[in-house]
Amino acid sequence: MSESEINGIHLSETQRRAAIDLKCQIAATGSAFIQELNSPWTQTNNSTNQSQAFVTNRQALASLPREYTQYLQRGRGDNVIVDSNPNLADGILKYVEDPTLRKTVYFNSRHGVSKELLFNLEKMVGTRDQLAKVLGYNTYSEYTLSSKLIETPEKAMTFLKVTMIIFINNISSIPKILIIILYNPIQQLSNETRDLSDSELNMLYSFKCKTELTGDPVFQWDYEYYSNLIRNKSVQDLNAPTSAELSEYFSLENVLEGMSRVVHQLFGLKLKQIEMRPGESWNKDVIKLALLSRDEGIIGYIYMDLWQRPNKASLGVNYVMELGYRKRNFNLVTGDVPMMEDYNVPKVALVCSFGSKNQTNQFRSLLHHCDLEVMFHEFGHSLHTVLSRGDFQHLCGTRGPVDFVEIPSTLMEHFTWDHKILRQFANHYSSGRTLSSEMINAYKETKDIFKGIETQKLISLAMFDLILHGKHPNIKTPSEIMSILQQKNLKIAGDVGDSFLSGFSHLYFYGSSYYCYLLSKYNSEKIWKNFFGNGHKVNREKGEQYRRKFLQKGSSQTPQSILNHFTA
Ligand SMILES: [Zn+2]
């Protein structure tokens, strides 16, 4: 179904105008919702929660690291005032032993968001529901997912084929409701991670029992504290490097070398830094790279703008500056791939906001492994953009549905954990020693120690997003919906409060599509295991297959057919 049909091109003039009007209203209330999310926290904000500051003895907070004590206010004598500053609350929940204190802070900080935020969210969701109905859908989720990878039976079948043993031979004989339940990828993923999450919860519970001697279950205000204790113990037991120690192997110079080696091994291409023309750059630190082919010359440009600065967004983003398209020599009969000489050279900007810049020489800056992951993720989007090759720019690169275009980016994250890749560039900045497989594996093991619970949290958020944009109106509040999901999926006791909404800008930007991260990770993991990981070599043969059958197609075919053709 085309984008135009989904968005009501077939409707009457009056209905089309109503749809446009509703979209404008959604944009306005959505922006107001985002503004509330980003508004600086104040003690006297118009919060839904009236309980605020309290006084406690300074000694009770002795384990709080210095970076958090700056948020404490002086009280009388040896007392300090703890208000509901979210940074201070994060520190107390992670580092303070006293469970009563953690509980108080949890309720003060997790049960207060502004009334305007809830109002705008409710208005946005309600207007989205009206839009869906004007466009002929029952719910907003149904409308927006109809253009996504997950929507069609072909896609559902593809997903099923790679995720579970097919025991249904004839789909048409199964009631529709049962198909929806069986084919729901989030539910599928949820079942798979539930066992892992349960065993992690048992670990937290036995640690808590030994410490508190009460036999109480693990509460929401216990998770950060006990998971941090267990993680620290595991770092010691495994002799794992800290994030700072690991960063000593990831100078920017090394990381760029690593990216260059990856594109060479996969595609036989070269990544080369080139001079910026006068006035071309928007900041002196921006690096310009050309992706070069021996046969075709320049294939694309990637500008890298990596460091944080005032008023710059903190997330990693791949901005498309120019897409590729055929400029001449169209041949619609043969459907051949355009030659670079007839093609507009695509340009992208890979923008991050890392805080570890070396002021003398940016190439000597040491990146944390999570920064490396962000860079490779965005680099995956960049490669999708510059390596797609079609006649029309509207069908090139990352123009496809979000649950499809996140596959190449999440695929690239796997390269940052694989020692056969890392050993080619991860050398210590002073000793030159190569990162050992033991170090990276121990680091990953400690990082993943609560992977089940963390995945269940993402699953809960994805389900919340779908429920919120499902049947409208929902008689439960956002907090009630999320609490039920978390207690069911994570089995951690206690209400979550409304404050999880304050970090959930996806509700506006990806309304009902938060699942896409999980689905993309799931799909990219399959590709990684079948092509490059699990003892497979990273070589030209598989790289070319990935380039010709996946990246090169851009969004010129349905995501389902690209994925089917590539993975077949
Ligand atoms: Zn992405």
Side-chain angles (χ1 to χ4, degrees):
M1 200 186 297
S2 77
E3 217 174 302
S4 306
E5 283 173 325
I6 292 168
N7 284 289
I9 198 169
H10 56 288
L11 297 177
S12 70
E13 175 75 17
T14 318
Q15 286 170 313
R16 287 209 304 264
R17 286 201 177 280
I20 291 167
D21 185 45
L22 288 166
K23 285 197 172 190
C24 290
Q25 287 181 42
I26 292 164
T29 45
S31 299
F33 170 68
I34 294 298
Q35 213 165 358
E36 280 298 316
L37 294 188
N38 294 330
S39 62
W41 174 88
T42 59
Q43 223 180 313
T44 55
N45 65 0
N46 184 17
S47 169
T48 53
N49 176 31
Q50 295 307 313
S51 56
Q52 293 285 340
F54 67 94
V55 176
T56 189
N57 189 281
R58 185 179 289 274
Q59 198 51 37
L61 301 173
S63 56
L64 200 61
R66 189 185 290 259
E67 63 195 278
Y68 298 101
T69 53
Q70 59 172 311
Y71 301 112
L72 292 169
Q73 297 169 49
R74 277 168 176 262
R76 284 190 182 176
D78 209 20
N79 287 339
V80 285
I81 300 168
V82 177
D83 60 32
S84 50
N85 180 307
N87 295 320
L88 176 58
D90 287 348
I92 290 174
L93 290 170
K94 190 169 180 180
Y95 294 105
V96 172
E97 187 179 350
D98 181 354
T100 313
L101 195 55
R102 287 201 312 270
K103 183 179 176 182
T104 309
V105 167
Y106 179 85
F107 273 91
N108 279 353
S109 66
R110 299 293 189 262
H111 284 73
V113 292
S114 75
K115 288 173 185 164
E116 283 81 4
L117 187 145
L118 291 176
F119 172 79
N120 285 313
L121 177 63
E122 173 60 31
K123 198 170 166 197
M124 178 178 77
V125 171
T127 316
R128 279 176 164 171
D129 186 66
Q130 286 178 44
L131 172 69
K133 286 181 172 127
V134 168
L135 294 172
Y137 296 86
N138 292 314
T139 65
Y140 185 76
S141 288
E142 196 182 292
Y143 152 64
T144 191
L145 265 61
S146 65
S147 57
K148 301 291 188 295
L149 181 65
I150 200 68
E151 191 268 337
T152 66
E154 290 89 344
K155 174 57 198 162
M157 278 302 292
T158 304
F159 184 74
L160 263 184
K161 277 176 190 166
V162 294
T163 53
M164 61 188 282
I165 300 164
I166 300 172
F167 56 92
I168 305 162
N169 293 320
N170 184 0
I171 290 177
S172 60
S173 66
I174 307 292
K176 196 178 175 193
I177 186 68
L178 191 56
I179 291 173
I180 291 165
I181 293 165
L182 289 169
Y183 285 46
N184 183 335
I186 297 167
Q187 193 61 54
Q188 172 68 21
L189 199 61
S190 176
N191 294 340
E192 287 178 7
T193 56
R194 188 158 295 158
D195 290 347
L196 187 60
S197 173
D198 285 352
S199 71
E200 291 164 5
L201 187 65
N202 282 338
M203 186 163 56
L204 285 164
Y205 178 66
S206 58
F207 220 83
K208 176 175 170 166
C209 284
K210 281 182 213 154
T211 313
E212 294 185 24
L213 306 172
T214 60
D216 282 345
V218 175
F219 292 110
Q220 295 284 346
W221 51 89
D222 293 326
Y223 177 65
E224 290 299 330
Y225 178 72
Y226 286 106
S227 62
N228 186 48
L229 279 186
I230 293 170
R231 189 172 274 119
N232 287 343
K233 185 177 177 303
S234 141
V235 167
Q236 285 175 2
D237 292 349
L238 293 167
N239 197 20
T242 63
S243 178
E245 285 165 352
L246 199 60
S247 76
E248 293 173 359
Y249 293 83
F250 299 128
S251 67
L252 177 59
E253 188 176 19
N254 284 353
V255 172
L256 291 175
E257 169 67 17
M259 287 176 160
S260 186
R261 283 178 181 251
V262 166
V263 292
H264 185 72
Q265 280 161 38
L266 287 175
F267 314 121
L269 301 173
K270 203 171 162 187
L271 202 59
K272 188 181 174 208
Q273 190 184 348
I274 56 172
E275 285 291 313
M276 206 83 73
R277 292 194 312 274
E280 186 179 358
S281 175
W282 57 95
N283 183 278
K284 65 179 176 48
D285 290 329
V286 177
I287 301 161
K288 183 179 181 182
L289 301 164
L291 193 61
L292 300 164
S293 153
R294 185 188 291 220
D295 305 324
E296 296 185 286
I298 294 174
I299 287 191
Y301 292 109
I302 301 173
Y303 296 83
M304 288 193 179
D305 178 2
L306 301 174
W307 311 111
Q308 70 180 24
R309 54 178 182 269
N311 301 321
K312 187 178 175 186
S314 59
L315 297 171
V317 185
N318 173 69
Y319 289 109
V320 176
M321 299 164 80
E322 273 186 54
L323 281 164
Y325 58 88
R326 195 196 288 259
K327 293 195 285 195
R328 60 185 86 83
N329 292 330
F330 279 84
N331 191 338
L332 297 177
V333 179
T334 60
D336 63 338
V337 176
M339 305 290 288
M340 269 325 283
E341 62 199 41
D342 297 328
Y343 202 64
N344 187 59
V345 179
K347 292 178 185 165
V348 296
L350 193 163
V351 179
C352 300
S353 197
F354 302 143
S356 54
K357 185 186 160 197
N358 180 311
Q359 298 301 330
T360 317
N361 180 348
Q362 66 165 324
F363 295 99
R364 290 199 192 136
S365 309
L366 300 179
L367 300 178
H368 289 277
H369 188 274
C370 54
D371 300 336
L372 181 71
E373 260 191 309
V374 170
M375 260 184 96
F376 268 68
H377 176 105
E378 301 308 332
F379 188 52
H381 286 308
S382 303
L383 290 175
H384 198 186
T385 310
V386 297
L387 291 179
S388 85
R389 191 82 68 87
D391 285 349
F392 307 107
Q393 65 168 6
H394 194 66
L395 301 174
C396 274
T398 50
R399 298 298 294 260
V402 67
D403 54 0
F404 175 68
V405 300
E406 287 297 331
I407 296 173
S409 53
T410 48
L411 177 65
M412 288 307 290
E413 291 175 20
H414 289 279
F415 286 79
T416 69
W417 292 105
D418 192 305
H419 189 250
K420 68 176 177 282
I421 302 293
L422 293 176
R423 72 182 175 208
Q424 298 177 47
F425 69 90
N427 302 316
H428 194 272
Y429 81 100
S430 68
S431 71
R433 203 173 52 245
T434 302
L435 179 70
S436 68
S437 59
E438 289 79 16
M439 276 181 87
I440 190 69
N441 291 340
Y443 183 77
K444 183 155 174 47
E445 198 171 326
T446 55
K447 184 177 174 283
D448 287 349
I449 198 160
F450 293 105
K451 190 180 177 185
I453 288 179
E454 293 301 324
T455 308
Q456 289 287 4
K457 279 188 186 176
L458 295 176
I459 289 166
S460 303
L461 285 170
M463 286 177 162
F464 169 80
D465 188 20
L466 286 171
I467 292 168
L468 195 73
H469 289 98
K471 199 164 174 246
H472 188 82
N474 198 308
I475 51 167
K476 291 190 169 57
T477 65
S479 165
E480 286 167 345
I481 298 170
M482 193 60 186
S483 292
I484 292 168
L485 287 169
Q486 282 231 0
Q487 281 162 21
K488 183 167 173 277
N489 295 339
L490 277 77
K491 300 179 187 135
I492 294 180
D495 287 344
V496 295
D498 276 323
S499 68
F500 77 95
L501 292 168
S502 60
F504 206 14
S505 57
H506 302 79
L507 283 175
Y508 173 52
F509 295 117
Y510 289 83
S512 80
S513 303
Y514 191 70
Y515 74 90
C516 74
Y517 292 108
L518 292 160
L519 183 63
S520 303
K521 271 185 184 290
Y522 203 82
N523 276 319
S524 65
E525 198 164 321
K526 296 285 173 195
I527 295 173
W528 171 257
K529 282 179 179 166
N530 290 331
F531 283 78
F532 308 115
N534 266 8
H536 292 287
K537 282 185 180 161
V538 174
N539 61 24
R540 273 297 288 283
E541 188 196 344
K542 287 170 199 143
E544 286 297 328
Q545 201 178 337
Y546 176 49
R547 182 180 173 186
R548 308 287 168 203
K549 292 186 174 177
F550 193 120
L551 299 176
Q552 192 168 282
K553 302 287 180 194
S555 306
S556 62
Q557 296 172 7
T558 64
Q560 293 83 6
S561 66
I562 293 173
L563 206 54
N564 280 347
H565 186 54
F566 171 57
T567 54

